[in-house]
Amino acid sequence: MSVTIKDVAKHANVSIATVSRVMNNVESVNMAVRSRVLHSMEELNFRPNRMAQSLKRNTTNTIGVIITNLNNPFFMEITSEIEKVVASAGYSILITAVGDSAKKEYDSLTMMAEKRVDGIIIASSGNNEDYLSELRDNGIPVVIIDRKSFSHRFDSVYIDKMKAMMLINQYLFLKGHQRIALVTGAKNLSTNFDRYLGYIRSYYNSGIPVDENLVCYGSFSEEYGREALKNIMEMENRPTAIVSGSVLITEGILKEAAKAGIRIPEDISLISFGDIQMSELIQPRLTYIESKQGEIGYRAAQILLNKMKNEATNIIESVLETEIVEGTSVADITTK
Amino acid sequence: MSVTIKDVAKHANVSIATVSRVMNNVESVNMAVRSRVLHSMEELNFRPNRMAQSLKRNTTNTIGVIITNLNNPFFMEITSEIEKVVASAGYSILITAVGDSAKKEYDSLTMMAEKRVDGIIIASSGNNEDYLSELRDNGIPVVIIDRKSFSHRFDSVYIDKMKAMMLINQYLFLKGHQRIALVTGAKNLSTNFDRYLGYIRSYYNSGIPVDENLVCYGSFSEEYGREALKNIMEMENRPTAIVSGSVLITEGILKEAAKAGIRIPEDISLISFGDIQMSELIQPRLTYIESKQGEIGYRAAQILLNKMKNEATNIIESVLETEIVEGTSVADITTK
DNA sequence: GTGAAAGCGCTAACAA
DNA sequence: TTGTTAGCGCTTTCAC
């Protein structure tokens, strides 16, 4: 089919070992021979077969990235950052988007294991931790992003959602809000459980009575944001503020509000995990807590590169600090 | 290292050929034997080595995707769509972002050729067409997206930028605009040359005098959009409308306008190739011509899958039709 | 129905 | 410095 070192060897009148040596810039190959071989490669248009090389070397120079959705600015930015970092280290990336299907995630992991990726960066459900741990034990470094793992300890980089949620609620309490709705993704995602914990805990700490019915689980999507806002506006004893667990949800809420003539923050306040796209052009200016996509991607890639290089055995949990960025989407309703 | 068919064979007391047969669901393997082998695989936690398989089969079940920038909604959506389509056909995707570096693009192509991807989808500079053509001749199907190729004929899917540009100018002429600035990306991108051609041609057709100084080349970025707007506002004999060649540029223009207090469309009109993010929340409502990311990705993936399956030899150029979607960012300045 | 064996394109001892 | 050779893990004839 395509040209191999054998062809090159014949053409240059050397052994395949020599060809291999020059293509790997190895040690002592006679200068004249080397240039003869290089010339033959050129002439024959030789392209090394990395599959064969990988088979021998047991390394593929590719890393796997598993996210839920490429069509989400948060993951897109993470991915973009990962790509930049690993590309400059000579790795390419194999990417899959698995939605919120644990099955797809599992299959993706299997595929990557079978294709023998050198490492995996994964943001996702948390439903395949045993499998992930098994893969790691089999020698594939794994970095988890965007959430911490409970059942096992993994290298990971994320924002402490519980802490962030507490910061948010404290902020809202200060502004006079007591009935606060939390609108977030699937209940079985650990990251949403963390938000829930932070929610409960901040109420507990402040002594304000909590109403767990105000915690709404759905999915990280615009549609759910729209739907949730509708539901909330129809509640009797309606909350005065909404905390959105994701940018997509926030965008849905804002769009629905615009459509339905609901004023933010006059009718209801809004604060979000992560800033929306084009926010500087949108009224009200969103109040949000930073989500740090860029840094998550960057660090995850760095950690993975290190693991793949050394056999560094200590586990790194990189927990990023975040702050609230004040806009105008939260009303101050203290009665003063 | 990891467990191989050899280990499984030993464990199940069969030959490696038999193991291979059961893992490939091949023909006639005695039921009892088959289940014994399956059991051994399970027990030993066997994971087929796809590198080895690929080496034999000369196919990798992975396709390469080369784009300029993952951090661009346009390409992100294309990629997302491609991923969905090919994933369901059993392929995984190897992705690289090459910015506007022809060199990086070349290296990316080389990497993909060496890793023996089964096909390539590429959106990019147009500076490596000879190389692309060579790869195709070597048996790697190639689909070009977002632009047509001049030097060679490739399978491709794109919007006819010249035609789109003509539609836009005609629309603007109707609204009374005669001095129209075109703000777009790098001059050496064929897609920008096409815009230029459409620009010129629409003027020619209508008999309105053209001023080529109003064609501004830069890069597909927010920064350039901001900069271009500043420059334009300082022109003597300022144009009455701006055509933006990319969503990122449009976003830059809008942000700069907001910052500098330039009103659109009162001070200057704006029309764009592609809609911005969150447009339904932004005033003025942008007037744009559809850019059809989703469909581009979808079709490109379909075409590639077909090429990889059959040896279908005819070349498909899929040129998508687009329309202008009217918002409120273009003023009617006819004097009636 | 099953096994032996050659070979995919490369690497890495080991010899020379 | 260079060549010979034995694999890496799999597929696939060809016998039996």
Side-chain angles (χ1 to χ4, degrees):
Chain A
M1 180 113 234
S2 44
V3 8
T4 72
I5 50 170
K6 219 167 177 176
D7 303 314
V8 176
K10 198 174 302 167
H11 188 272
N13 224 319
V14 294
S15 75
I16 59 168
T18 300
V19 176
S20 174
R21 286 187 188 106
V22 351
M23 72 174 269
N24 291 300
N25 293 311
V26 140
E27 59 195 76
S28 43
V29 178
N30 179 293
M31 265 205 7
V33 176
R34 154 164 276 131
S35 74
R36 190 147 43 92
V37 171
L38 286 172
H39 180 259
S40 294
M41 286 177 168
E42 185 89 341
E43 186 124 324
L44 298 180
N45 200 1
F46 168 71
R47 249 187 288 282
N49 185 328
R50 300 295 173 199
M51 309 298 290
Q53 203 172 54
S54 292
L55 186 57
K56 277 297 304 185
R57 290 198 181 152
N58 221 28
T59 142
T60 53
N61 272 281
T62 109
I63 75 158
V65 174
I66 300 180
I67 57 177
T68 57
N69 185 359
L70 260 172
N71 227 331
N72 176 329
F74 179 73
F75 290 117
M76 184 193 74
E77 224 171 294
I78 289 179
T79 307
S80 177
E81 206 58 42
I82 293 174
E83 203 269 344
K84 275 182 216 154
V85 175
V86 304
S88 66
Y91 289 87
S92 21
I93 94 181
L94 205 54
I95 192 166
T96 57
V98 298
D100 32 87
S101 156
K103 169 76 164 59
K104 272 195 191 166
E105 184 178 300
Y106 185 90
D107 292 344
S108 245
L109 285 169
T110 301
M111 181 276 284
M112 288 179 174
E114 293 181 350
K115 287 195 174 164
R116 301 297 194 261
V117 296
D118 293 337
I120 292 177
I121 294 178
I122 178 171
S124 200
S125 69
N127 292 316
N128 291 304
E129 294 210 345
D130 288 343
Y131 193 34
L132 271 173
S133 161
E134 180 195 325
L135 295 182
R136 180 179 54 185
D137 294 344
N138 284 329
I140 309 179
V142 171
V143 177
I144 292 186
I145 54 181
D146 189 40
R147 62 180 177 77
K148 78 172 132 228
S149 57
F150 345 46
S151 40
H152 306 264
R153 289 195 69 224
F154 283 101
D155 291 293
S156 44
V157 17
Y158 57 91
I159 280 165
D160 184 334
K161 301 297 188 313
M162 181 176 84
K163 196 167 156 195
M165 186 68 219
M166 291 179 72
L167 281 176
I168 287 176
N169 269 5
Q170 282 153 16
Y171 174 84
L172 292 174
F173 292 156
L174 273 177
K175 296 282 184 179
H177 297 273
Q178 303 225 354
R179 287 185 58 75
I180 300 168
L182 167 59
V183 177
T184 194
K187 190 168 186 172
N188 68 333
L189 289 187
S190 69
T191 135
N192 290 321
F193 186 66
D194 288 343
R195 289 184 179 89
Y196 167 77
L197 288 181
Y199 182 89
I200 296 297
R201 201 156 145 192
S202 56
Y203 271 101
Y204 179 80
N205 288 349
S206 67
I208 297 171
V210 61
D211 179 355
E212 295 207 15
N213 293 318
L214 295 181
V215 179
C216 314
Y217 298 103
S219 69
F220 289 138
S221 68
E222 269 194 26
E223 299 68 49
Y224 180 61
R226 304 185 100 112
E227 187 190 320
L229 179 61
K230 280 189 232 166
N231 294 339
I232 287 170
M233 296 311 286
E234 282 174 1
M235 288 181 179
E236 64 233 66
N237 195 6
R238 184 207 292 168
T240 58
I242 296 176
V243 179
S244 159
S246 135
V247 169
L248 290 181
I249 290 177
T250 306
E251 295 182 352
I253 290 175
L254 287 170
K255 287 179 183 173
E256 181 61 29
K259 185 176 149 208
I262 297 165
R263 295 162 308 156
I264 295 173
E266 292 81 357
D267 297 330
I268 195 159
S269 289
L270 177 64
I271 184 168
S272 163
F273 278 81
D275 197 11
I276 56 175
Q277 308 279 301
M278 304 294 291
S279 58
E280 56 184 288
L281 292 179
I282 291 169
Q283 285 306 325
R285 202 69 145 76
L286 185 66
T287 296
Y288 65 94
I289 193 158
E290 305 160 316
S291 50
K292 304 236 169 179
Q293 317 86 134
E295 199 168 347
I296 290 177
Y298 181 80
R299 290 207 191 187
Q302 293 292 0
I303 293 174
L304 189 65
L305 286 178
N306 272 326
K307 292 283 155 157
M308 296 189 306
K309 212 162 297 172
N310 331 329
E311 307 297 341
T313 166
N314 61 316
I315 289 179
I316 299 174
E317 286 193 52
S318 182
V319 184
L320 307 182
E321 293 301 319
T322 50
E323 287 177 10
I324 288 174
V325 177
E326 264 192 295
T328 57
S329 66
V330 173
D332 187 335
I333 58 171
T334 51
T335 47
K336 289 169 196 166
Chain B
M1 180 112 235
S2 43
V3 10
T4 73
I5 49 170
K6 218 169 176 173
D7 304 315
V8 176
K10 198 175 302 167
H11 188 272
N13 225 318
V14 294
S15 75
I16 60 169
T18 299
V19 176
S20 173
R21 285 187 189 106
V22 352
M23 73 176 270
N24 290 300
N25 293 311
V26 141
E27 59 196 75
S28 44
V29 177
N30 179 293
M31 265 203 11
V33 176
R34 155 163 275 129
S35 73
R36 188 147 45 91
V37 171
L38 286 173
H39 180 259
S40 294
M41 287 178 167
E42 185 89 340
E43 186 125 324
L44 299 180
N45 201 0
F46 168 70
R47 249 187 287 284
N49 185 327
R50 301 294 173 199
M51 309 299 289
Q53 203 172 54
S54 293
L55 186 57
K56 278 295 307 182
R57 291 199 182 153
N58 221 28
T59 142
T60 53
N61 271 281
T62 109
I63 75 157
V65 174
I66 300 180
I67 57 176
T68 57
N69 186 358
L70 259 173
N71 229 330
N72 177 329
F74 179 73
F75 290 117
M76 183 192 71
E77 225 171 295
I78 289 180
T79 307
S80 177
E81 206 58 41
I82 293 175
E83 203 269 342
K84 275 181 216 154
V85 175
V86 305
S88 65
Y91 290 86
S92 22
I93 94 180
L94 206 53
I95 192 166
T96 57
V98 298
D100 33 88
S101 157
K103 168 77 164 59
K104 273 194 191 165
E105 183 177 302
Y106 185 90
D107 293 344
S108 245
L109 285 169
T110 300
M111 181 276 284
M112 287 178 175
E114 293 183 349
K115 288 195 175 165
R116 302 296 193 262
V117 296
D118 293 337
I120 291 177
I121 295 179
I122 177 170
S124 201
S125 70
N127 291 316
N128 291 304
E129 294 211 345
D130 288 344
Y131 193 34
L132 270 174
S133 159
E134 181 194 324
L135 294 182
R136 181 181 50 185
D137 294 345
N138 283 329
I140 309 179
V142 172
V143 177
I144 292 186
I145 55 180
D146 190 40
R147 62 181 177 75
K148 80 172 127 221
S149 58
F150 346 46
S151 40
H152 308 263
R153 289 196 68 223
F154 284 101
D155 292 292
S156 44
V157 18
Y158 56 92
I159 280 165
D160 184 334
K161 302 295 188 317
M162 181 175 84
K163 196 166 156 194
M165 185 70 218
M166 291 179 71
L167 281 176
I168 288 176
N169 269 5
Q170 282 154 17
Y171 174 84
L172 292 174
F173 291 157
L174 273 177
K175 297 280 184 181
H177 297 273
Q178 303 225 354
R179 289 185 57 74
I180 300 168
L182 168 60
V183 177
T184 193
K187 191 170 185 171
N188 68 334
L189 290 188
S190 69
T191 135
N192 289 321
F193 186 65
D194 288 342
R195 289 185 178 88
Y196 167 77
L197 288 181
Y199 181 89
I200 297 298
R201 201 156 145 193
S202 57
Y203 272 100
Y204 179 79
N205 287 350
S206 66
I208 297 171
V210 60
D211 179 354
E212 296 206 14
N213 293 318
L214 295 180
V215 179
C216 314
Y217 298 104
S219 68
F220 288 139
S221 67
E222 269 194 25
E223 299 68 49
Y224 180 61
R226 305 185 99 111
E227 187 190 321
L229 179 62
K230 281 188 229 166
N231 294 339
I232 286 170
M233 296 312 285
E234 281 173 1
M235 288 180 178
E236 66 235 66
N237 195 5
R238 183 207 292 168
T240 58
I242 296 175
V243 179
S244 160
S246 133
V247 170
L248 290 181
I249 290 176
T250 306
E251 295 183 350
I253 290 175
L254 288 171
K255 288 179 183 173
E256 182 61 30
K259 185 174 147 208
I262 297 164
R263 294 163 309 156
I264 294 173
E266 291 81 358
D267 296 330
I268 195 159
S269 289
L270 177 64
I271 183 169
S272 163
F273 277 80
D275 196 12
I276 56 175
Q277 308 277 304
M278 304 294 290
S279 58
E280 56 183 289
L281 292 178
I282 292 169
Q283 285 305 325
R285 202 68 145 76
L286 185 65
T287 296
Y288 66 94
I289 192 159
E290 305 160 317
S291 49
K292 304 236 168 179
Q293 316 87 133
E295 198 168 347
I296 291 178
Y298 181 80
R299 290 208 191 186
Q302 294 292 358
I303 292 174
L304 189 66
L305 286 179
N306 272 326
K307 290 285 157 161
M308 296 190 306
K309 212 163 299 172
N310 332 328
E311 306 296 341
T313 167
N314 61 316
I315 290 179
I316 299 176
E317 287 193 51
S318 182
V319 184
L320 307 182
E321 293 301 321
T322 50
E323 287 177 11
I324 289 175
V325 178
E326 265 192 294
T328 56
S329 66
V330 173
D332 187 335
I333 59 171
T334 50
T335 47
K336 294 175 194 159

